[in-house]
Amino acid sequence: MADVALCRITGDDIVSGRFQNESLFEAIDRASAVAFGSPTYMGGPAAQFKAFADASSDRWGQQRWANKIAAGFTTGACASGDQLHTLTYFSILAAQHGMLWCGLDIPGGEDPGGRNRLGSQLGLATHQVDGALPRGDLSTAEYLGQRLARSAGRNG
């Protein structure tokens, strides 16, 4: 079992272009694992996530997130909407913090349940079809969360 906390970046967290929410950082400090997530906009994570990442540099200097397990998820407007770049950004951020990356172990397009539909091994990449996320993508998200929790349990 894993304790899960939703840490959402809101517009109120950005003050004069800088992320300022110490309680969110403290929640991550206490966590064993973190799933970074953001929509993909213009080929990368949303500006709000980038502001969060930039503000995490104090933690980076102290390596306060070192050895935590990390994963990532994103959605974009198109099936090939540069979501991989966002996942790569998350994995580099995790590496800078000394975190251990947890990707997917489901071959893309091979799963009978439709998981990992877009074939991203680095993390969950998805896009909406007819205004909703496909069931297989939601199953992939659940699977990645379970995999992340199992990895954190082994690492703890």
Side-chain angles (χ1 to χ4, degrees):
M1 291 305 258
D3 290 325
V4 177
L6 175 64
C7 298
R8 184 179 300 254
I9 299 168
T10 67
D12 292 341
D13 293 332
I14 312 296
V15 179
S16 297
R18 180 100 171 137
F19 177 85
Q20 296 182 5
N21 183 336
E22 186 61 24
S23 64
L24 189 144
F25 280 137
E26 289 169 356
I28 295 171
D29 291 347
R30 292 187 301 272
S32 299
V34 176
F36 295 125
S38 171
T40 295
Y41 287 120
M42 301 304 293
Q48 294 87 339
F49 186 89
K50 183 68 167 86
F52 156 82
D54 290 350
S56 75
S57 63
D58 290 339
R59 262 96 178 146
W60 166 78
Q62 301 164 11
Q63 288 294 283
R64 289 178 60 183
W65 298 348
N67 298 315
K68 293 180 186 295
I69 308 296
F73 61 95
T74 188
T75 187
C78 299
S80 182
D82 297 321
Q83 291 94 325
L84 179 60
H85 185 262
T86 299
L87 292 172
T88 302
Y89 181 88
F90 295 157
S91 68
I92 292 170
L93 176 66
Q96 289 174 329
H97 278 283
M99 302 169 94
L100 307 170
W101 191 255
C102 175
L104 282 169
D105 60 349
I106 303 169
E110 302 282 328
D111 186 70
R115 297 179 304 174
N116 198 14
R117 171 176 69 93
L118 298 183
S120 175
Q121 301 309 128
L122 195 56
L124 173 61
T126 186
H127 80 289
Q128 290 188 0
V129 176
D130 296 327
L133 291 179
R135 179 68 202 136
D137 291 355
L138 296 172
S139 294
T140 308
E142 292 168 4
Y143 179 84
L144 181 58
Q146 292 166 358
R147 182 170 160 82
L148 181 62
R150 283 192 309 274
S151 296
R154 284 193 299 266
N155 193 47

